[in-house]
Amino acid sequence: MKETKIKVMIVEEGEVRAEYRRLMKEHPILQLTAECETEDEAIEILKKLRVDVLILGLEIRGGSGLFLLERIRGMNICKPFVVVVTNIISERLYEPVRIMGADYICSKSAINYSLDIPLTIIELCAPYRKSAETREFQKGEQRRSSLTGIYQKRIHCELEAIGFPQSVHGTSYLEEGIFYLVMSDQTSISTTKELYPYIAEKFATNAGNVERNIRGVIEKVWTKQNMEQVRKRYGGDWKMDTGRPTNTKFMKWMAEKVIGKYQW
């Protein structure tokens, strides 16, 4: 059976990284996937690339390993196994470093310390953690897949109940936009800069066309449908001058209703 490589990212000074590269030749299970020496560079890499292990020097150029750990905690990524390497020997510092996400701390001041020690630790520990994370990831994907179908059905049924015609582009764009808001982990999404372009790409059109079709179908429903029926299904704000909700308010309110913030 082919051995699975452990993808390693190193955040350290240039000379230190060069030595790690040399030593990793003696650890064939480890694969150097990314390297850098600043906090901001590390964040940009982690946004785009999934790695199994992060070797992090606390004393890094252009920032701090502590700040980097804290920023990683707030990212919506699969967290890597983190080995922190530092000159500091204070146990009082080690505890918050562990809380911030370090799985193992190597002190450069320890007797017989060498750069090979972090690599050996990774080789011993990371495969077990990776195996457990793979199982949890698969379970998470199954749960997400199940929720996807549930949310899509709820959105479709709710728009149909309000009276949105199912055969027009505007309704399809609405369904996609509401679903995007439901599934997104972001707390604030720009309708014009993110949501319309996303829908446009999905349907091979342009953002202006998406905006016009959504506005048009909302106007049609608010003009043609029974207002008692509309009020029963939609409890969000309406614009007094137009007598209908804006595209943004309607989609965001419906997304919150679908995930259970408002009563069905």
Side-chain angles (χ1 to χ4, degrees):
M1 184 179 294
K2 186 177 179 180
E3 192 175 55
T4 303
K5 296 282 189 178
I6 298 171
K7 298 178 181 179
V8 180
M9 175 177 170
I10 301 173
V11 184
E12 265 285 11
E13 296 177 352
E15 292 182 1
V16 178
R17 298 200 314 274
E19 181 63 11
Y20 273 126
R21 287 197 297 271
R22 186 187 68 79
L23 289 170
M24 285 182 69
K25 296 176 182 178
E26 302 172 14
H27 300 267
I29 194 174
L30 306 183
Q31 175 184 312
L32 181 58
T33 303
E35 59 176 288
C36 62
E37 61 180 346
T38 71
E39 179 184 334
D40 289 340
E41 288 174 331
I43 291 296
E44 289 305 310
I45 291 172
L46 289 170
K47 286 179 181 177
K48 303 172 184 176
L49 190 66
R50 179 175 176 175
V51 297
D52 302 313
V53 177
L54 172 64
I55 299 178
L56 172 61
L58 280 194
E59 300 80 28
I60 57 176
R61 186 174 70 82
S64 165
L66 285 175
F67 293 151
L68 178 54
L69 279 175
E70 186 63 23
R71 290 174 71 180
I72 291 173
R73 286 180 67 191
M75 296 176 68
N76 183 30
I77 63 172
C78 184
K79 302 301 189 294
F81 182 87
V82 180
V83 178
V84 164
V85 182
T86 179
N87 291 310
I88 301 172
I89 59 175
S90 170
E91 283 293 333
R92 294 182 64 183
L93 175 65
Y94 288 176
E95 185 58 28
V97 171
R98 292 188 182 97
I99 292 173
M100 288 180 183
D103 295 286
Y104 195 90
I105 302 173
C106 290
S107 172
K108 296 178 182 179
S109 301
I111 298 174
N112 298 324
Y113 170 79
S114 74
L115 290 181
D116 196 56
I117 291 178
L119 300 179
T120 301
I121 294 298
I122 292 167
E123 204 168 43
L124 290 172
C125 300
Y128 298 102
R129 185 175 185 273
K130 183 176 181 181
S131 176
E133 282 189 345
T134 299
R135 291 193 295 272
E136 287 302 311
F137 177 77
Q138 290 171 342
K139 290 179 183 177
E141 286 297 294
Q142 290 171 355
R143 289 193 294 269
R144 185 177 178 86
S145 177
S146 177
L147 283 174
T148 294
I150 292 171
Y151 287 147
Q152 287 176 328
K153 182 66 174 178
R154 283 185 181 178
I155 294 165
H156 179 84
C157 290
E158 188 62 14
L159 291 180
E160 188 175 44
I162 293 175
F164 280 88
Q166 298 300 307
S167 59
V168 300
H169 290 311
T171 301
S172 298
Y173 297 162
L174 267 178
E175 289 189 4
E176 192 65 40
I178 295 167
F179 179 70
Y180 182 85
L181 292 170
V182 166
M183 299 303 289
S184 175
D185 294 322
Q186 302 177 55
T187 57
S188 179
I189 293 176
S190 170
T191 305
T192 55
K193 294 180 180 179
E194 182 173 351
L195 194 54
Y196 290 156
Y198 168 79
I199 299 170
E201 184 176 356
K202 291 280 289 188
F203 289 90
T205 183
N206 60 72
N209 192 43
V210 169
E211 189 276 333
R212 285 190 296 274
N213 275 269
I214 290 177
R215 173 162 40 84
V217 76
I218 291 176
E219 288 176 350
K220 183 175 183 179
V221 169
W222 255 252
T223 302
K224 304 292 185 181
Q225 295 298 321
N226 183 289
M227 280 298 99
E228 184 178 345
Q229 175 183 337
V230 173
R231 289 178 187 277
K232 182 180 178 180
R233 308 302 297 190
Y234 175 75
D237 295 334
W238 297 12
K239 288 188 69 177
M240 297 301 295
D241 57 339
T242 63
R244 64 170 178 81
T246 65
N247 295 1
T248 299
K249 283 187 178 294
F250 181 79
M251 287 190 286
K252 289 188 175 181
W253 195 93
M254 292 303 301
E256 290 177 339
K257 183 175 183 179
V258 165
I259 62 177
K261 183 173 180 180
Y262 306 118
Q263 185 65 40
W264 277 72

